[in-house]
Amino acid sequence: MTLEESDTNLPWASIIIVGLNIGGYVFPRVSTKLGNMLADPTTGIPMARVCVGPNALRNGRLYTLFTASFVHDDLQHIIYNVGWMIGYIVVLESLVGFWGLFVLYLISGMIGWCLSLFDTYYSYGEYGLDVTSCGASPCTYAMSVFLLATCPETSLGTITPMVGVILSLILTMYELKCATYKHKWRSPKQYSAIIHAAYAALCCVYYCRKTFLGEAVQVRVWVLLYLLSNTISYGINGGGGSDLCCHFGGAIGGVLLAIYYFRLDVVLSFPHGFTWVGTILYLLGLRFSTRISAIAFTILMLFSIEL
């Protein structure tokens, strides 16, 4: 299958996907009727009818394998995912086209949720039946790995990365406020917020410098700067309750779709192969290995692509 250039003036698929993510967070919270309709009638858990989980599939709600990718738990969750996604989703649509972006988003999300369900049931058995997950994370990891596996040196420009960084700054202020209110000083949550703030500030300086010099930000830089911050944050928070298996599954889905859209030799060539393999190892390390190994994988990636 060959790639197609987007034949529209506006990146409509990107706009729709980002809009659905924002709408999936805002509308159920603004409309009490919609919020009650999407909540579990037995347990009262918000958004349970559109979140994925063992009981959801047992009750025949197979559609949650797709709807869960547009739903987020809280403001921090959606800002983190959408802020990252905005940085590269338009470039990705220009490569795979309108429908290609939807296929990549939905299929990779489904693969991520399937692996998450397997891990939940394997780890908790019958006790994990009521566990639910949601978020665009498997899709964002998939899209990142897809770009790393196919065109890691593609230019993102400077506008969309700056928008993503501004959202990250908003997130860090919110994180720090919540951490200060709910936890004692020097808590892991506060350390995490400070790290995210430092990351966002450094990225702002970096992107401003790129803009001043008339240079563009490459995909590999945008993705790997995020992974570096993410690794340190996970190291402090010990995972922070994230569904790490869905992240790993989404990344696997991104690689499989990259092979489908491109040739296998392109995906395995250098530096394409090295960067996406490093990302997979990074995610695998977060779930199954030690924090040190996850940090080591990320550092390996950063040095290997000559940032």
Side-chain angles (χ1 to χ4, degrees), residues 14-37:
S14 303
I15 294 171
I16 292 170
I17 288 174
V18 171
L20 286 173
N21 275 274
I22 295 173
Y25 176 79
V26 173
F27 291 133
R29 288 164 175 80
V30 173
S31 170
T32 305
K33 183 178 179 181
L34 179 60
N36 292 336
M37 184 176 68

PDB file of all heavy atoms in Angstrom, residues 14-37:
ATOM      1  N   SER A  14      -7.207  15.172  11.548  1.00  0.00           N
ATOM      2  CA  SER A  14      -6.540  15.622  12.771  1.00  0.00           C
ATOM      3  C   SER A  14      -7.485  16.471  13.610  1.00  0.00           C
ATOM      4  O   SER A  14      -7.568  16.310  14.839  1.00  0.00           O
ATOM      5  CB  SER A  14      -5.287  16.432  12.439  1.00  0.00           C
ATOM      6  OG  SER A  14      -4.396  15.693  11.642  1.00  0.00           O
ATOM      7  N   ILE A  15      -8.207  17.371  12.953  1.00  0.00           N
ATOM      8  CA  ILE A  15      -9.146  18.241  13.658  1.00  0.00           C
ATOM      9  C   ILE A  15     -10.253  17.417  14.310  1.00  0.00           C
ATOM     10  O   ILE A  15     -10.635  17.652  15.472  1.00  0.00           O
ATOM     11  CB  ILE A  15      -9.747  19.281  12.696  1.00  0.00           C
ATOM     12  CG1 ILE A  15      -8.652  20.252  12.220  1.00  0.00           C
ATOM     13  CG2 ILE A  15     -10.895  20.041  13.345  1.00  0.00           C
ATOM     14  CD1 ILE A  15      -9.090  21.172  11.102  1.00  0.00           C
ATOM     15  N   ILE A  16     -10.767  16.426  13.577  1.00  0.00           N
ATOM     16  CA  ILE A  16     -11.849  15.593  14.108  1.00  0.00           C
ATOM     17  C   ILE A  16     -11.375  14.764  15.295  1.00  0.00           C
ATOM     18  O   ILE A  16     -12.061  14.671  16.331  1.00  0.00           O
ATOM     19  CB  ILE A  16     -12.410  14.674  12.996  1.00  0.00           C
ATOM     20  CG1 ILE A  16     -13.136  15.513  11.938  1.00  0.00           C
ATOM     21  CG2 ILE A  16     -13.352  13.627  13.582  1.00  0.00           C
ATOM     22  CD1 ILE A  16     -13.516  14.742  10.695  1.00  0.00           C
ATOM     23  N   ILE A  17     -10.202  14.154  15.179  1.00  0.00           N
ATOM     24  CA  ILE A  17      -9.688  13.305  16.260  1.00  0.00           C
ATOM     25  C   ILE A  17      -9.409  14.128  17.518  1.00  0.00           C
ATOM     26  O   ILE A  17      -9.814  13.746  18.632  1.00  0.00           O
ATOM     27  CB  ILE A  17      -8.423  12.559  15.796  1.00  0.00           C
ATOM     28  CG1 ILE A  17      -8.800  11.458  14.802  1.00  0.00           C
ATOM     29  CG2 ILE A  17      -7.684  11.955  16.994  1.00  0.00           C
ATOM     30  CD1 ILE A  17      -7.619  10.753  14.167  1.00  0.00           C
ATOM     31  N   VAL A  18      -8.752  15.269  17.361  1.00  0.00           N
ATOM     32  CA  VAL A  18      -8.496  16.132  18.523  1.00  0.00           C
ATOM     33  C   VAL A  18      -9.817  16.648  19.086  1.00  0.00           C
ATOM     34  O   VAL A  18     -10.019  16.687  20.313  1.00  0.00           O
ATOM     35  CB  VAL A  18      -7.578  17.310  18.135  1.00  0.00           C
ATOM     36  CG1 VAL A  18      -7.480  18.319  19.279  1.00  0.00           C
ATOM     37  CG2 VAL A  18      -6.185  16.801  17.776  1.00  0.00           C
ATOM     38  N   GLY A  19     -10.753  17.007  18.204  1.00  0.00           N
ATOM     39  CA  GLY A  19     -12.059  17.491  18.642  1.00  0.00           C
ATOM     40  C   GLY A  19     -12.842  16.441  19.405  1.00  0.00           C
ATOM     41  O   GLY A  19     -13.496  16.742  20.416  1.00  0.00           O
ATOM     42  N   LEU A  20     -12.781  15.185  18.947  1.00  0.00           N
ATOM     43  CA  LEU A  20     -13.480  14.100  19.651  1.00  0.00           C
ATOM     44  C   LEU A  20     -12.887  13.864  21.042  1.00  0.00           C
ATOM     45  O   LEU A  20     -13.607  13.568  21.994  1.00  0.00           O
ATOM     46  CB  LEU A  20     -13.411  12.812  18.827  1.00  0.00           C
ATOM     47  CG  LEU A  20     -14.310  12.762  17.586  1.00  0.00           C
ATOM     48  CD1 LEU A  20     -14.023  11.504  16.767  1.00  0.00           C
ATOM     49  CD2 LEU A  20     -15.784  12.798  17.986  1.00  0.00           C
ATOM     50  N   ASN A  21     -11.566  13.989  21.145  1.00  0.00           N
ATOM     51  CA  ASN A  21     -10.929  13.841  22.451  1.00  0.00           C
ATOM     52  C   ASN A  21     -11.373  14.945  23.413  1.00  0.00           C
ATOM     53  O   ASN A  21     -11.698  14.680  24.576  1.00  0.00           O
ATOM     54  CB  ASN A  21      -9.403  13.864  22.313  1.00  0.00           C
ATOM     55  CG  ASN A  21      -8.820  12.507  21.969  1.00  0.00           C
ATOM     56  OD1 ASN A  21      -8.554  11.693  22.835  1.00  0.00           O
ATOM     57  ND2 ASN A  21      -8.623  12.252  20.685  1.00  0.00           N
ATOM     58  N   ILE A  22     -11.391  16.181  22.910  1.00  0.00           N
ATOM     59  CA  ILE A  22     -11.812  17.300  23.756  1.00  0.00           C
ATOM     60  C   ILE A  22     -13.299  17.188  24.089  1.00  0.00           C
ATOM     61  O   ILE A  22     -13.714  17.366  25.243  1.00  0.00           O
ATOM     62  CB  ILE A  22     -11.507  18.640  23.057  1.00  0.00           C
ATOM     63  CG1 ILE A  22      -9.994  18.807  22.895  1.00  0.00           C
ATOM     64  CG2 ILE A  22     -12.097  19.806  23.841  1.00  0.00           C
ATOM     65  CD1 ILE A  22      -9.589  20.012  22.066  1.00  0.00           C
ATOM     66  N   GLY A  23     -14.108  16.864  23.079  1.00  0.00           N
ATOM     67  CA  GLY A  23     -15.540  16.701  23.303  1.00  0.00           C
ATOM     68  C   GLY A  23     -15.861  15.558  24.259  1.00  0.00           C
ATOM     69  O   GLY A  23     -16.767  15.669  25.092  1.00  0.00           O
ATOM     70  N   GLY A  24     -15.093  14.464  24.147  1.00  0.00           N
ATOM     71  CA  GLY A  24     -15.294  13.319  25.036  1.00  0.00           C
ATOM     72  C   GLY A  24     -15.004  13.647  26.485  1.00  0.00           C
ATOM     73  O   GLY A  24     -15.509  12.975  27.394  1.00  0.00           O
ATOM     74  N   TYR A  25     -14.207  14.692  26.711  1.00  0.00           N
ATOM     75  CA  TYR A  25     -13.934  15.119  28.086  1.00  0.00           C
ATOM     76  C   TYR A  25     -14.938  16.181  28.546  1.00  0.00           C
ATOM     77  O   TYR A  25     -15.446  16.120  29.668  1.00  0.00           O
ATOM     78  CB  TYR A  25     -12.521  15.687  28.188  1.00  0.00           C
ATOM     79  CG  TYR A  25     -12.206  16.229  29.562  1.00  0.00           C
ATOM     80  CD1 TYR A  25     -11.862  15.381  30.611  1.00  0.00           C
ATOM     81  CD2 TYR A  25     -12.272  17.595  29.822  1.00  0.00           C
ATOM     82  CE1 TYR A  25     -11.600  15.876  31.871  1.00  0.00           C
ATOM     83  CE2 TYR A  25     -12.003  18.092  31.081  1.00  0.00           C
ATOM     84  CZ  TYR A  25     -11.669  17.225  32.102  1.00  0.00           C
ATOM     85  OH  TYR A  25     -11.421  17.726  33.360  1.00  0.00           O
ATOM     86  N   VAL A  26     -15.240  17.143  27.669  1.00  0.00           N
ATOM     87  CA  VAL A  26     -16.042  18.296  28.082  1.00  0.00           C
ATOM     88  C   VAL A  26     -17.530  17.981  28.185  1.00  0.00           C
ATOM     89  O   VAL A  26     -18.165  18.257  29.221  1.00  0.00           O
ATOM     90  CB  VAL A  26     -15.825  19.469  27.101  1.00  0.00           C
ATOM     91  CG1 VAL A  26     -16.786  20.616  27.406  1.00  0.00           C
ATOM     92  CG2 VAL A  26     -14.386  19.948  27.164  1.00  0.00           C
ATOM     93  N   PHE A  27     -18.128  17.389  27.141  1.00  0.00           N
ATOM     94  CA  PHE A  27     -19.582  17.258  27.087  1.00  0.00           C
ATOM     95  C   PHE A  27     -20.182  16.431  28.232  1.00  0.00           C
ATOM     96  O   PHE A  27     -21.193  16.831  28.816  1.00  0.00           O
ATOM     97  CB  PHE A  27     -20.017  16.686  25.733  1.00  0.00           C
ATOM     98  CG  PHE A  27     -19.803  17.645  24.599  1.00  0.00           C
ATOM     99  CD1 PHE A  27     -19.205  17.238  23.419  1.00  0.00           C
ATOM    100  CD2 PHE A  27     -20.185  18.978  24.714  1.00  0.00           C
ATOM    101  CE1 PHE A  27     -19.001  18.126  22.375  1.00  0.00           C
ATOM    102  CE2 PHE A  27     -19.980  19.876  23.686  1.00  0.00           C
ATOM    103  CZ  PHE A  27     -19.393  19.451  22.509  1.00  0.00           C
ATOM    104  N   PRO A  28     -19.621  15.268  28.600  1.00  0.00           N
ATOM    105  CA  PRO A  28     -20.213  14.520  29.716  1.00  0.00           C
ATOM    106  C   PRO A  28     -20.125  15.263  31.048  1.00  0.00           C
ATOM    107  O   PRO A  28     -20.887  14.968  31.976  1.00  0.00           O
ATOM    108  CB  PRO A  28     -19.378  13.230  29.769  1.00  0.00           C
ATOM    109  CG  PRO A  28     -18.793  13.099  28.404  1.00  0.00           C
ATOM    110  CD  PRO A  28     -18.530  14.506  27.966  1.00  0.00           C
ATOM    111  N   ARG A  29     -19.197  16.210  31.162  1.00  0.00           N
ATOM    112  CA  ARG A  29     -19.059  16.979  32.405  1.00  0.00           C
ATOM    113  C   ARG A  29     -19.936  18.219  32.402  1.00  0.00           C
ATOM    114  O   ARG A  29     -20.309  18.727  33.464  1.00  0.00           O
ATOM    115  CB  ARG A  29     -17.584  17.349  32.623  1.00  0.00           C
ATOM    116  CG  ARG A  29     -16.749  16.138  33.012  1.00  0.00           C
ATOM    117  CD  ARG A  29     -15.264  16.365  32.852  1.00  0.00           C
ATOM    118  NE  ARG A  29     -14.497  15.229  33.337  1.00  0.00           N
ATOM    119  CZ  ARG A  29     -14.292  14.111  32.661  1.00  0.00           C
ATOM    120  NH1 ARG A  29     -14.799  13.986  31.444  1.00  0.00           N
ATOM    121  NH2 ARG A  29     -13.601  13.116  33.174  1.00  0.00           N
ATOM    122  N   VAL A  30     -20.268  18.715  31.209  1.00  0.00           N
ATOM    123  CA  VAL A  30     -21.149  19.871  31.097  1.00  0.00           C
ATOM    124  C   VAL A  30     -22.608  19.442  31.155  1.00  0.00           C
ATOM    125  O   VAL A  30     -23.440  20.089  31.792  1.00  0.00           O
ATOM    126  CB  VAL A  30     -20.864  20.636  29.789  1.00  0.00           C
ATOM    127  CG1 VAL A  30     -21.892  21.734  29.566  1.00  0.00           C
ATOM    128  CG2 VAL A  30     -19.465  21.241  29.821  1.00  0.00           C
ATOM    129  N   SER A  31     -22.912  18.334  30.480  1.00  0.00           N
ATOM    130  CA  SER A  31     -24.281  17.823  30.437  1.00  0.00           C
ATOM    131  C   SER A  31     -24.463  16.720  31.481  1.00  0.00           C
ATOM    132  O   SER A  31     -23.912  15.626  31.340  1.00  0.00           O
ATOM    133  CB  SER A  31     -24.589  17.273  29.037  1.00  0.00           C
ATOM    134  OG  SER A  31     -25.811  16.584  29.026  1.00  0.00           O
ATOM    135  N   THR A  32     -25.233  16.999  32.502  1.00  0.00           N
ATOM    136  CA  THR A  32     -25.500  16.007  33.550  1.00  0.00           C
ATOM    137  C   THR A  32     -26.220  14.792  32.978  1.00  0.00           C
ATOM    138  O   THR A  32     -25.937  13.643  33.357  1.00  0.00           O
ATOM    139  CB  THR A  32     -26.353  16.625  34.675  1.00  0.00           C
ATOM    140  OG1 THR A  32     -25.699  17.790  35.164  1.00  0.00           O
ATOM    141  CG2 THR A  32     -26.561  15.641  35.812  1.00  0.00           C
ATOM    142  N   LYS A  33     -27.141  15.025  32.045  1.00  0.00           N
ATOM    143  CA  LYS A  33     -27.896  13.931  31.441  1.00  0.00           C
ATOM    144  C   LYS A  33     -26.969  12.980  30.689  1.00  0.00           C
ATOM    145  O   LYS A  33     -27.065  11.750  30.832  1.00  0.00           O
ATOM    146  CB  LYS A  33     -28.956  14.492  30.489  1.00  0.00           C
ATOM    147  CG  LYS A  33     -29.839  13.429  29.865  1.00  0.00           C
ATOM    148  CD  LYS A  33     -30.903  14.048  28.980  1.00  0.00           C
ATOM    149  CE  LYS A  33     -31.778  12.979  28.344  1.00  0.00           C
ATOM    150  NZ  LYS A  33     -32.823  13.578  27.456  1.00  0.00           N
ATOM    151  N   LEU A  34     -26.050  13.541  29.895  1.00  0.00           N
ATOM    152  CA  LEU A  34     -25.109  12.712  29.145  1.00  0.00           C
ATOM    153  C   LEU A  34     -24.157  11.995  30.096  1.00  0.00           C
ATOM    154  O   LEU A  34     -23.839  10.812  29.907  1.00  0.00           O
ATOM    155  CB  LEU A  34     -24.318  13.572  28.165  1.00  0.00           C
ATOM    156  CG  LEU A  34     -23.269  12.855  27.300  1.00  0.00           C
ATOM    157  CD1 LEU A  34     -23.926  11.776  26.448  1.00  0.00           C
ATOM    158  CD2 LEU A  34     -22.520  13.851  26.423  1.00  0.00           C
ATOM    159  N   GLY A  35     -23.685  12.691  31.123  1.00  0.00           N
ATOM    160  CA  GLY A  35     -22.792  12.080  32.101  1.00  0.00           C
ATOM    161  C   GLY A  35     -23.430  10.897  32.798  1.00  0.00           C
ATOM    162  O   GLY A  35     -22.799   9.850  32.980  1.00  0.00           O
ATOM    163  N   ASN A  36     -24.712  11.049  33.183  1.00  0.00           N
ATOM    164  CA  ASN A  36     -25.426   9.948  33.843  1.00  0.00           C
ATOM    165  C   ASN A  36     -25.661   8.788  32.894  1.00  0.00           C
ATOM    166  O   ASN A  36     -25.618   7.622  33.294  1.00  0.00           O
ATOM    167  CB  ASN A  36     -26.763  10.446  34.388  1.00  0.00           C
ATOM    168  CG  ASN A  36     -26.599  11.431  35.534  1.00  0.00           C
ATOM    169  OD1 ASN A  36     -25.571  11.420  36.221  1.00  0.00           O
ATOM    170  ND2 ASN A  36     -27.584  12.289  35.739  1.00  0.00           N
ATOM    171  N   MET A  37     -25.897   9.100  31.620  1.00  0.00           N
ATOM    172  CA  MET A  37     -26.150   8.060  30.636  1.00  0.00           C
ATOM    173  C   MET A  37     -24.896   7.210  30.390  1.00  0.00           C
ATOM    174  O   MET A  37     -24.987   6.001  30.161  1.00  0.00           O
ATOM    175  CB  MET A  37     -26.608   8.692  29.323  1.00  0.00           C
ATOM    176  CG  MET A  37     -26.993   7.696  28.240  1.00  0.00           C
ATOM    177  SD  MET A  37     -27.640   8.501  26.770  1.00  0.00           S
ATOM    178  CE  MET A  37     -26.169   9.328  26.155  1.00  0.00           C
TER     179      MET A  37
END
